[in-house]
Amino acid sequence: MKLLIGNKNYSSWSMRPWVLLTQFDLPFEEVRIPFESFAADSKFKAAVAERSPAGKVPVLVDDDGFAVWDSLAIAEFLAEKFPGQALWPRDARRRARARSVCAEMHSGFGTLRDVFGMNIEASMPEIGARVLAQNAAARADLARMTQLWQDALAESGGPFLFGEFSIADAFFAPVVMRMRTYALPVPAPIAAYIDRATAAKGTAAWIRGALAEQEFLAFEEPYRTSRD
Ligand SMILES: N[C@@H](CCC(=O)N[C@@H](CS)C(=O)NCC(=O)O)C(=O)O
C-alpha cells in the first residue's frame, strides 16, 4: 500500500491514517506531496489527481492500484482489510461510540480547526490565550472536545479514548497537536491523555517527521511570518 500525504507539519488530515498505519505496524510506503498552493494548476493538484479525483490528501493506494480517499473512508477500509487488528474497538457499543466521535470530529469543530491550524513545529501559547479570550465559538469547541475526551476516558478507563489505541485516537491526534502548539487549557486528566497520545508510537514518529521538515508555508501561517 501507498499513502499519499502532504507536509507533516501542517497536514492534519494526512496525519490520521499515517499515525494509524504506523501505530498498528501495517506495511505502507509514504508518498509525500509537498504543499505549495492548492490552486487548480499547482504541482500538488496535478500529483494528487493521478490518484484521486477529489484532489486532496490523504489518499491510500492499495497494492493493485485501487485508491481510497478521505481519512475516514481510509480508516474504515483498513479496519476491513486487517480484521485481525482491533483498529476499531472490539466491543460493539464502544465501536459505535468511537465511530460517533470520529464522525463528530470529521464534520465538526470548524472553529477550532480554523483558528488553531495544525502547526506541530510552532509554539504559540499567547495566540491560544488571545483567541480563546476573543472567540466564544473557539471556547465552545474546546469545551466540547474536553468533554468528549473526558467521557470516553471515564467510560473506557483508558489509557486511550476507548481503551487500547484505536482509530479514534488517530482521528484526534491532530487536535492533540493543536492543544500543544497553542497551549490550550485543559483539566489534568486530559493533559495526561495528551501526553500519552503524543508519546504513542505512531504519533511520535509523525512528530519526528514534522520537526525534520524545514518548509515555512505562508498560506498555512496566519500568526507568523517566519519559523522563529
Ligand atoms: N475530508 C478530507 C479532507 C482532506 C483535506 O482537506 N486535505 C487537505 C490537506 S490537509 C487538502 O488536500 N487540501 C487541498 C485542497 O483543499 O485543495 C479527509 O478527511 O481526508
Side-chain angles (χ1 to χ4, degrees):
M1 292 185 295
K2 288 188 170 64
L3 183 71
L4 277 56
I5 60 168
N7 295 52
K8 287 187 175 151
N9 191 48
Y10 299 114
S11 185
S12 56
W13 297 104
S14 303
M15 183 179 187
R16 298 176 166 103
W18 193 101
V19 164
L20 185 66
L21 285 157
T22 305
Q23 185 73 27
F24 282 87
D25 288 320
L26 304 177
F28 76 106
E29 182 191 324
E30 168 190 318
V31 180
R32 186 175 176 273
I33 306 178
F35 292 166
E36 19 126 30
S37 91
F38 296 144
D41 60 354
S42 62
K43 277 191 232 151
F44 172 82
K45 284 288 182 195
V48 178
E50 287 175 18
R51 295 302 194 168
S52 163
K56 296 184 179 190
V57 289
V59 181
L60 183 81
V61 183
D62 208 352
D63 295 334
D64 63 358
F66 179 74
V68 186
W69 58 90
D70 193 285
S71 54
L72 192 49
I74 293 169
E76 291 287 6
F77 182 80
L78 291 171
E80 288 182 13
K81 190 174 164 79
F82 299 97
Q85 304 252 35
L87 268 60
W88 287 117
R90 292 276 187 228
D91 176 79
R93 288 194 164 199
R94 255 188 209 184
R95 187 163 62 249
R97 188 55 54 78
R99 284 193 164 114
S100 292
V101 299
C102 286
E104 188 177 343
M105 178 73 245
H106 208 54
S107 59
F109 296 102
T111 301
L112 187 132
R113 269 207 282 261
D114 282 353
V115 298
F116 298 128
M118 193 174 89
N119 195 334
I120 292 174
E121 169 273 321
S123 174
M124 297 186 270
E126 65 296 337
I127 299 289
R130 193 178 79 210
V131 170
L132 279 184
Q134 292 171 348
N135 189 327
R139 289 197 298 277
D141 272 1
L142 177 62
R144 171 62 196 137
M145 185 66 68
T146 304
Q147 187 66 51
L148 186 163
W149 285 353
Q150 248 166 356
D151 291 348
L153 289 167
E155 212 170 302
S156 72
F160 293 103
L161 293 176
F162 294 91
E164 294 308 312
F165 192 101
S166 76
I167 288 170
D169 300 286
F171 257 70
F172 287 101
V175 181
V176 165
M177 299 298 99
R178 292 166 155 111
M179 297 279 192
R180 287 159 45 94
T181 295
Y182 300 96
L184 302 183
V186 291
I190 297 301
Y193 168 70
I194 289 172
D195 287 346
R196 290 194 295 277
T198 301
K201 181 171 75 174
T203 318
W206 178 275
I207 294 171
R208 280 197 298 279
L211 296 180
E213 291 177 343
Q214 296 302 320
E215 293 108 328
F216 180 87
L217 299 177
F219 72 97
E220 294 278 3
E221 297 271 0
Y223 304 120
R224 304 191 303 174
T225 51
S226 70
R227 277 171 68 100
D228 26 50

